[in-house]
């Protein structure tokens, strides 16, 4: 699963990126990360590229099959 996220950052303007995690909360968390990094002087567009490779954390939002599925 992936979702396209678009946002307006105060010092950068509009950016868009792909996030490989589902849900609004994950999108909002990624926006918070980009805003913080932007304030620290790190290019948010470069940082957003790393989201394309992030696969999540084992055990979180992981599909688990059982014999009944």
């Amino acid at each position: 699963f992936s979702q396209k996220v678009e946002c307006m950052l105060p010092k950068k303007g509009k950016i868009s990126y792909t996030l490989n995690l589902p849900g609004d909360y994950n999108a909002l968390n990624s926006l918070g990360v980009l805003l913080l990094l932007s304030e620290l002087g790190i290019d948010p567009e470069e940082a957003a590229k790393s989201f394309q490779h992030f696969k999540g954390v084992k055990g979180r939002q992981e599909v688990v099959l059982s014999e009944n599925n």
Side-chain angles (χ1 to χ4, degrees):
F1 178 87
S2 67
Q3 60 179 317
K4 182 84 166 182
V5 181
E6 294 183 343
C7 65
M8 294 288 287
L9 295 178
K11 297 178 182 176
K12 190 68 176 179
K14 183 178 178 179
I15 67 168
S16 61
Y17 57 94
T18 301
L19 182 63
N20 288 327
L21 296 171
D24 293 340
Y25 287 114
N26 285 320
L28 289 172
N29 287 339
S30 70
L31 291 172
V33 168
L34 294 182
L35 186 58
L36 174 64
L37 292 175
S38 178
E39 289 297 313
L40 293 173
I42 298 170
D43 183 7
E45 287 181 299
E46 285 299 313
K49 291 178 184 177
S50 67
F51 292 144
Q52 295 176 15
H53 307 289
F54 183 68
K55 294 184 179 13
V57 178
K58 186 171 176 62
R60 300 279 301 169
Q61 298 182 344
E62 186 176 357
V63 176
V64 179
L65 299 176
S66 69
E67 291 181 25
N68 296 330
N69 290 352

